[in-house]
């Protein structure tokens, strides 16, 4: 499996910081979109979170997940090889 992973985040988010720390070196395999600097990213996050800007919102192979278990994200990124 070669997962496509996009991580929507914002500065100061402790859950985003935790996710980044846990995925470690594999972080570079994901596309990171800062919802405070990217209006389209913020709009997307609101669209999948009942109008709220809840981060991290992670999309793996087209499936959005709100504040997912970091192990799931790490596994998807590790699969990218």
């Amino acid at each position: 499996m070669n997962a496509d992973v996009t991580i929507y985040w914002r500065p100061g988010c402790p859950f985003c910081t935790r996710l980044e720390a846990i995925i470690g070196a594999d972080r570079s395999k994901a596309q990171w979109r800062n919802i405070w600097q990217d209006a389209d990213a913020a709009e997307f996050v609101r669209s999948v979170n009942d109008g709220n800007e809840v981060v991290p919102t992670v999309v793996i192979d087209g499936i959005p997940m709100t504040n997912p278990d970091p192990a799931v994200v790490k596994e998807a990124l590790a699969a990218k090889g």
Side-chain angles (χ1 to χ4, degrees):
M1 178 174 105
N2 192 1
D4 180 34
V5 180
T6 302
I7 300 170
Y8 296 85
W9 69 285
R10 67 166 174 77
C13 166
F15 301 105
C16 299
T17 301
R18 176 178 171 258
L19 175 62
E20 185 176 14
I22 290 172
I23 62 176
D26 285 335
R27 78 170 306 285
S28 63
K29 296 178 183 178
Q31 178 184 10
W32 291 76
R33 296 186 65 184
N34 180 341
I35 66 167
W36 284 359
Q37 294 181 342
D38 183 336
D40 291 336
E43 182 178 335
F44 173 77
V45 169
R46 288 191 302 271
S47 79
V48 298
N49 290 296
D50 298 320
N52 299 301
E53 292 184 351
V54 181
V55 288
T57 294
V58 179
V59 179
I60 299 174
D61 291 333
I63 301 169
M65 295 173 262
T66 303
N67 198 15
D69 181 335
V72 171
V73 181
K74 187 173 176 83
E75 181 179 330
L77 292 171
K80 289 186 71 83

